[in-house]
Amino acid sequence: MKKISSSETNCVSALYIVPTPIGNLKDITYRALSVLRQVDYIAVEDTRRTRILLNFFSIRTSLYVLHQYNEYKKIPILISKLQAGLSVAVVSDAGTPLINDPGYRLVQCCQKLKIKVIPLPGPCAAITALCGSGLPTDRFCFEGFLPHKHRLRISRLQALLEEPRTLIFYDVKHRIMDTLKDMISIFGLERYVVLARELTKIWESIYGAPVGQLLSWIQRDSSRIQGEMVLVVAGNCLKNHELSPKIFHVMNLLASELPVKKAATLVEYIYGVRKNILYKKYLSKQSNKIVDQNINID
C-alpha cells in the first residue's frame, strides 16, 4: 500500500497561519499551497489581493474577510466554525500573518479555548531585509511602522536612541523622507541605515549608507523610494562614547592589516559606529600603550 504523505492528507480542524509571497509568487511553499487548497475557509485582509495569488495556483477555497476594522465582530464567527470542526487558514496581503498585520487576537482566542493553532514558516519582509542588510542579525528589534504624526515619531525614535540591537522598520513612499530626517535629528548623520525596497520583485534594491548620505541619495532620484520599503538601522553601539570590547577587538584586527582610517571606515560600516570616534579612541589607546611601555622600560 502506498504511504500517503502529510501534504496529501486533509487538514485537521485547526487555525493555520499561512505566510504568502511578498512579491515573487514562486516563494510560496508546497505546504502552504496544500493547506490553502484543503481548508474550509481562508481568512483574508483584502479579497482582491489574495485572489491574485489563489487564481495563479488555481485555488478555489471560500474566502472570509478579516481585517483590523472588523476583527472584533468576525472573530466569534470564526471561532464557532473552528469549534464545529472546520479548518481555517489566515493569510495577510503579503508575508507572514500577524507581523504588523491583524490576527493575533484570533490566535489569542484560539489558545485560550484550546483550539489547535498551526503556524507555517514562510516569507517575511522584515527578515528578508535584515538578512540582506549586512547589519548584525544575532539580535534585532522589529518596530513595524513608526507613528504618522511627527511628535509621536520623534518620541518613538528617542525611546530607541540607546537600543543596541539592529532596528527594523516598515515605511511608505509619502512618509520616508520625514522618517529619515527625524532619524538624523535623533540618531545623528552617521547612524548606518539600509533601505531595502521591492524585495523579491523585479525592481528589488538594497542600499545602505550613513543616514545623512542615504537621504541625499534618495533626494537625487525619487524613483529610489518607489514600492514597498523596509529600513534596517544599526543599533547604538556607543554609549557615553565607550566602545564595546567586541567592536574594539575588530578595530584592532583590521588596523593591524590596514591603515587606521580604512579600518575605522570598515568598522563603521559593519557596526554603525562613527568612524571619527573609532579613529580617535584607537589612537588614544595606542598612545597609552606606548606610555606604559616606556614606563616599564624605565
Side-chain angles (χ1 to χ4, degrees):
M1 181 180 292
K2 177 186 175 182
K3 184 177 179 181
I4 300 176
S5 69
S6 59
S7 63
E8 296 175 311
T9 60
N10 292 328
C11 289
V12 300
S13 175
L15 179 70
Y16 294 84
I17 311 301
V18 183
T20 55
I22 59 177
N24 192 322
L25 295 181
K26 294 179 181 179
D27 289 334
I28 193 80
T29 67
Y30 287 119
R31 186 183 177 198
L33 290 175
S34 177
V35 169
L36 294 177
R37 287 192 176 101
Q38 295 177 43
V39 292
D40 296 295
Y41 294 94
I42 303 174
V44 305
E45 285 187 90
D46 186 331
T47 56
R48 294 167 298 179
R49 295 195 63 173
T50 302
R51 278 293 181 201
I52 295 172
L53 173 70
L54 299 183
N55 289 339
F56 186 83
F57 291 104
S58 302
I59 297 172
R60 307 299 177 208
T61 307
S62 298
L63 303 186
Y64 190 92
V65 178
L66 178 72
H67 49 64
Q68 60 179 327
Y69 303 108
N70 73 355
E71 61 180 334
Y72 284 108
K73 180 180 178 181
K74 299 294 186 177
I75 284 175
I77 300 173
L78 286 174
I79 290 295
S80 67
K81 294 181 182 298
L82 289 163
Q83 290 178 321
L86 300 178
S87 55
V88 177
V90 174
V91 301
S92 60
D93 287 343
T96 300
L98 284 71
I99 305 300
N100 213 78
D101 284 315
Y104 89 88
R105 291 186 179 89
L106 175 59
V107 173
Q108 192 176 60
C109 289
C110 287
Q111 297 289 11
K112 288 180 179 179
L113 295 170
K114 307 301 181 185
I115 295 171
K116 191 174 183 65
V117 176
I118 302 177
L120 276 63
C124 177
I127 299 302
T128 304
L130 174 65
C131 291
S133 69
L135 290 170
T137 59
D138 53 340
R139 298 177 68 232
F140 59 90
C141 180
F142 175 65
E143 286 290 321
F145 286 96
L146 286 165
H148 296 190
K149 294 183 178 180
H150 171 71
R151 178 178 56 82
L152 296 177
R153 191 165 56 246
I154 287 291
S155 178
R156 177 76 65 80
L157 291 172
Q158 286 175 331
L160 295 168
L161 177 60
E162 299 297 332
E163 174 56 61
R165 295 172 293 179
T166 301
L167 301 168
I168 307 172
F169 302 92
Y170 288 159
D171 216 325
V172 292
K173 175 182 177 179
H174 65 271
R175 203 165 55 241
I176 190 168
M177 303 293 279
D178 291 334
T179 296
L180 294 176
K181 289 175 183 177
D182 289 343
M183 284 185 176
I184 289 172
S185 69
I186 301 302
F187 296 158
L189 285 167
E190 299 300 319
R191 183 72 71 95
Y192 197 81
V193 177
V194 176
L195 170 62
R197 71 176 188 91
E198 293 293 87
L199 291 170
T200 79
K201 302 174 185 176
I202 190 170
W203 300 114
E204 174 183 286
S205 68
I206 301 174
Y207 180 82
V211 63
Q213 294 179 28
L214 178 62
L215 180 61
S216 298
W217 179 77
I218 292 171
Q219 289 171 333
R220 290 196 296 271
D221 185 350
S222 61
S223 68
R224 290 167 175 167
I225 53 172
Q226 299 288 343
E228 297 177 343
M229 290 169 282
V230 184
L231 291 173
V232 187
V233 182
N236 181 17
C237 297
L238 288 177
K239 190 170 184 180
N240 298 325
H241 301 294
E242 290 296 324
L243 292 173
S244 73
K246 179 180 179 181
I247 293 174
F248 208 81
H249 176 65
V250 173
M251 177 66 189
N252 281 329
L253 290 175
L254 291 173
S256 67
E257 301 292 335
L258 299 169
V260 177
K261 287 186 177 180
K262 180 65 175 178
T265 299
L266 289 173
V267 174
E268 179 191 54
Y269 177 79
I270 296 169
Y271 293 106
V273 178
R274 295 185 183 183
K275 61 184 176 184
N276 291 339
I277 295 176
L278 281 164
Y279 182 76
K280 291 176 182 177
K281 287 284 185 179
Y282 179 84
L283 293 182
S284 176
K285 285 183 176 289
Q286 292 300 110
S287 297
N288 290 338
K289 284 183 180 179
I290 293 172
V291 171
D292 290 340
Q293 288 172 358
N294 289 336
I295 291 173
N296 290 334
I297 291 172
D298 293 341

